Structures are given as C-alpha cells and as structure tokens.
Amino acid sequence: MRFLSSALVSFLALAYNVFAKSSTGDSVLVVIDPSLKKEDYSKFFGGLEERGYQLTFRGPKDTHPPIEQYGIPGFSHVILFTPETKSYAFDITPQSLVELLSEDTNLLVTLSAKQTPLSSLSTEFSLIPPPPGTPLVSHHPARSEPATVIPVPVPESPLLTPGTPPVWFSGVPHAFGNSPYLVPILRASSESFAADSLDDSGDDALVDASEKAGEGLWAGSQLGLVTGFQTLKNSRVVFAGGVEIFGDQYANKALPDGAPSGNEKFVRDVTAWAFRETLALRIDNTTYHRVGEEAPSEKYTINDQIVYTAHISAYDPETSSWKPYSGITDMQLEFTMLDPHIRIALPPVAGEPGKYQVQFRAPDRHGVFKFVVDWRRKGYSFLQTSTTVPVVPPRHDQYPRFLSAAWPYYAGAVSTSIGFFLFSALWLAGDVEGKKKKSLKTE
C-alpha cells in the first residue's frame, strides 16, 4: 500500500510538470504566520494564481498538508511568510528545508529583525544577518514615511524587468559571505544603514567606523535586501529581508515623486526566477565523433580530428515548453585528463538554434579523457555535463609507412647500402683480375 501511494505521488508530480508554468511544477505551499492576513497580500497571491500556480496554505505549526511524504516532496515550491515565527511543526526545520532544495524544490523565505530559525537558515547560504533588532534605516530621500520605510532603486539585472521603478522596503538587511552561488537581487541604497534606533544618536560612531573601515559596519550598498542562492542542482532559494515588500500596501503606495512603485513588478520577477520560470537552461544532449563520421566512436586515436556538439534549450513560461537557446557566447569545452589538455570556445552555430559545435584535434597523449562543459553564470541555470572517452596510440598498422622527418636517415641508409654494394663489386672484380695476372706471370 505504501508503494502504491509513493507511485501515485510520483505520477501526479510528473503530470504537473508536463503542463507547468514553472519548469519544475506549479504546486506551491504557502506557510503563513497567523498574525498575517492573506487579504493583505492579495495582489501577490492573486498574481501567482493568474500565472497558473496552485496555492495551498497552512500555518507554521500545522502538520497538514505535509511538505514531504514518503521521501518525495509534496510541492514544487514553498513560500515561508513567517518572518517572526520561532516554533514550527516537526516537518519544517532548517535541515528539512535544505533537504528540500536537494530534492529540486524551490524556496522563498522572508526574514525579520528578530532572531528566528529562518535567520539561522540564512547563514547556511552564506548570508550574514545583523544583530537582532537592527532594521534598515535611511533618511534619504526626504519623505513623510518613517525612516524604516525606504524607497530602494532596482538595479539592472538579467532576472529583473528593465526600467522597474524603485520599490518600497521595510525590514532587515544582510551582508554577503564568500559563496559564489549567491545572486544579489536588491541591494540597500548607499545612504541607508542598519541601526537599533531611529534617532541619530549613534551617527558619530557610524562615521568613525566608516572612516576606519572597521568590523560591524552595516551601511551602504554592501548590504543585501533580497538575495537569491542557486544550488549545484539548480534549485533556487530567495531570502527577502521583510515580508512587507510583497504586500498590497507597498504595491499601491506611490513613491515620493508621485510615481507608482515597482513592488508588484519586482516581486513578480523575483518569484519567476525563484520558481525557475526565467533564466532556466538545460543541456538536451551532446554528441561527438570524428570528422567525416556521424556516430560516436568507442575510442579515439591521438591527433584525431573530433567534432563535439551540444544542444541547449531555455524554458519558455508563456508556452510551458523548452525551446532551443543560442544566447550563450562564452561557453567553453574542456578535454581533460586530471588537468585540461584542451580548453576551447564552444560557440553557437549560425542558423541552427540551440546548437553549439566545435572541432579540435585530440592531444598527442593517450589516456582516459573527459569532454567537460561547466558553464556557471549568476542567475542562470548551471550547465554541466561530462563524458569519458579513451584516447589510444595508433595501432601498429596505423603508423605512416614513411616519415618526412626521417628522410635524412633514409638517405643515409640507402647511400650506405649503395656504397657497400659498389665497394663489394669493385673488390670482388679487382681480386679476380689480380689472380689472372699472377697466373699469366707464372706461365
């Protein structure tokens, strides 16, 4: 019975992926704190439903529906609107959320100025939260709102719509660790800083710290407000410093200059990236063969001319399908044996969408080699593939009959042979004539 239930869950997950807005499925679990009202986030949740997502809501201490059942995630994406929650049900822990990412589930996590389990979770992804109770503060630009409600400019990014207006933000910032898998999405403005008080009593200490570049300085654009993280399996998690950025209040709130805010458009782009609607790439297949052949060979000979081809596609959320993609111009192919012996550009083929091809000569060294493609760019799905092939020396009957470099030796051997033949002939002929002369004198 348990096997049948597991098989049914797997079948339903596969069926969702066939007609999915996201490249990994449309089922979304929203864990929302009881202190928050769904009506205050109607634009955000309504926008997800309009895009085809199926939302399921539960409280942080509820056990139904479970996030995972029989070792299989029950949802393709999980949204945690629990910025101040300190206790959860048994199936929501930092460890279980990390395991969900390894099972190809995406996460959207909101934080707050309070110390919570989600704050501890963020440190696992190379984010450094400030001390508790230190929200982001900025007195610029001049406005009637509190100093903790800040209009933040939206930077240029491949995962955001160009020209997005500034967004309203209220919450806690974070610093960045050294992980190369972090994807900064929204940074704090240069005039903002993290502080435990709204007055300016500590401004002298802030100035001193900035001049000394001392530790503990939480100020400026070095701080992140919304940051993504992409794992090696291409699952994605986004940490937002406050839940208010997703609310209707900030979406409807005008900027200080009277223009509409970009919150609605911004959170749409963020969820599209987090749920792998955008910048989702994959390698469909790879082929390799000798020049003049079509089928791959089980082994290759040193100095063979080899053709390597990769087909790459990108997910199109409008049609819920994968389409050939030729937009990568900096991909490389490595032919490695421990270390790369050959590293060469793998360019797209003109007139053939999604096809990347290169021709190269196998190195003059035999061994077990790998075709390796490892393309990693911030925001985009990682493209990784590796194929092992042996490279062998030529067979005894594959070597050339004559080597052009050995012609001096050939000439020396031939001249020596000819000289020996002539010497032998002259010697033998001269010996016979001498005997004849001797015999004639004796007579």
Side-chain angles (χ1 to χ4, degrees):
M1 187 65 182
R2 181 174 180 178
F3 173 77
L4 293 177
S5 300
S6 178
L8 179 60
V9 171
S10 301
F11 174 77
L12 292 176
L14 180 61
Y16 279 133
N17 288 338
V18 174
F19 304 101
K21 181 71 174 179
S22 165
S23 60
T24 57
D26 294 340
S27 57
V28 181
L29 175 64
V30 182
V31 182
I32 186 169
D33 191 270
S35 62
L36 302 178
K37 298 180 180 180
K38 292 190 293 183
E39 295 77 12
D40 295 338
Y41 305 89
S42 59
K43 284 194 172 184
F44 174 66
F45 294 137
L48 291 176
E49 291 176 341
E50 289 176 2
R51 287 152 58 190
Y53 288 100
Q54 302 172 359
L55 305 185
T56 302
F57 294 86
R58 61 168 274 192
K61 297 182 181 180
D62 297 339
T63 58
H64 185 80
I67 290 182
E68 191 176 33
Q69 189 173 13
Y70 304 121
I72 300 175
F75 299 89
S76 302
H77 321 283
V78 177
I79 298 175
L80 294 169
F81 274 11
T82 55
E84 298 184 359
T85 303
K86 293 188 176 181
S87 60
Y88 293 85
F90 67 91
D91 61 340
I92 302 179
T93 63
Q95 293 77 13
S96 65
L97 294 177
V98 172
E99 291 177 2
L100 282 177
L101 288 172
S102 65
E103 296 292 339
D104 212 31
T105 299
N106 306 302
L107 302 177
L108 175 59
V109 182
T110 57
L111 305 174
S112 71
K114 294 183 178 181
Q115 182 68 29
T116 66
L118 296 183
S119 303
S120 303
L121 175 66
S122 66
T123 61
E124 299 293 332
F125 295 90
S126 197
L127 296 181
I128 306 172
T134 53
L136 188 70
V137 177
S138 178
H139 300 287
H140 301 279
R143 60 193 184 278
S144 59
E145 289 78 10
T148 55
V149 181
I150 308 168
V152 181
V154 177
E156 294 292 333
S157 174
L159 61 92
L160 299 175
T161 302
T164 301
V167 298
W168 289 104
F169 177 84
S170 177
V172 62
H174 47 257
F176 302 111
N178 297 324
S179 175
Y181 305 118
L182 287 174
V183 182
I185 300 175
L186 184 67
R187 293 177 180 264
S189 58
S190 57
E191 305 88 359
S192 58
F193 57 93
D196 56 359
S197 175
L198 298 183
D199 58 27
D200 297 330
S201 58
D203 55 352
D204 293 336
L206 186 65
V207 172
D208 292 341
S210 63
E211 291 177 351
K212 299 177 181 178
E215 296 182 359
L217 175 62
W218 294 86
S221 57
Q222 66 178 342
L223 300 179
L225 306 180
V226 179
T227 302
F229 187 99
Q230 184 166 266
T231 68
L232 291 176
K233 292 188 175 182
N234 287 327
S235 55
R236 296 170 178 175
V237 55
V238 171
F239 290 92
V243 71
E244 293 82 3
I245 194 173
F246 300 93
D248 294 348
Q249 181 182 0
Y250 286 180
N252 299 327
K253 188 179 183 62
L255 296 172
D257 59 1
S261 68
N263 285 66
E264 186 174 0
K265 184 183 296 185
F266 175 78
V267 298
R268 179 186 178 93
D269 292 340
V270 169
T271 53
W273 181 84
F275 296 167
R276 279 185 274 180
E277 290 182 39
T278 57
L279 305 187
L281 308 177
R282 72 179 184 185
I283 298 178
D284 294 325
N285 61 75
T286 60
T287 59
Y288 49 90
H289 56 82
R290 292 189 181 92
V291 173
E293 300 179 358
E294 295 295 334
S297 177
E298 294 183 355
K299 57 184 177 181
Y300 293 89
T301 307
I302 58 175
N303 297 321
D304 273 351
Q305 291 291 332
I306 303 175
V307 177
Y308 183 88
T309 306
H311 292 85
I312 297 175
S313 60
Y315 186 75
D316 183 7
E318 299 299 327
T319 60
S320 299
S321 62
W322 293 88
K323 294 184 177 181
Y325 181 73
S326 298
I328 302 176
T329 58
D330 57 352
M331 187 160 53
Q332 293 181 329
L333 170 69
E334 294 182 351
F335 198 56
T336 68
M337 184 174 65
L338 297 181
D339 295 320
H341 283 60
I342 294 175
R343 181 182 287 120
I344 190 171
L346 185 59
V349 178
E352 299 186 47
K355 184 177 181 180
Y356 297 75
Q357 191 175 79
V358 67
Q359 177 180 330
F360 66 95
R361 181 177 65 85
D364 191 9
R365 182 176 181 181
H366 59 86
V368 179
F369 284 81
K370 288 182 179 181
F371 296 104
V372 177
V373 174
D374 190 0
W375 185 82
R376 304 183 188 186
R377 297 296 181 271
K378 284 188 180 296
Y380 292 86
S381 298
F382 300 147
L383 299 178
Q384 297 171 295
T385 180
S386 176
T387 307
T388 302
V389 294
V391 176
V392 299
R395 291 169 49 88
H396 66 281
D397 57 352
Q398 290 180 321
Y399 287 97
R401 182 68 65 179
F402 296 102
L403 300 176
S404 59
W407 278 114
Y409 303 100
Y410 297 153
V414 171
S415 62
T416 301
S417 300
I418 294 175
F420 178 76
F421 177 76
L422 293 176
F423 176 80
S424 300
L426 293 175
W427 174 267
L428 292 174
D431 188 44
V432 172
E433 292 178 358
K435 287 182 179 180
K436 288 182 178 180
K437 291 180 180 180
K438 278 187 178 183
S439 61
L440 290 173
K441 289 180 178 181
T442 302
E443 291 177 357

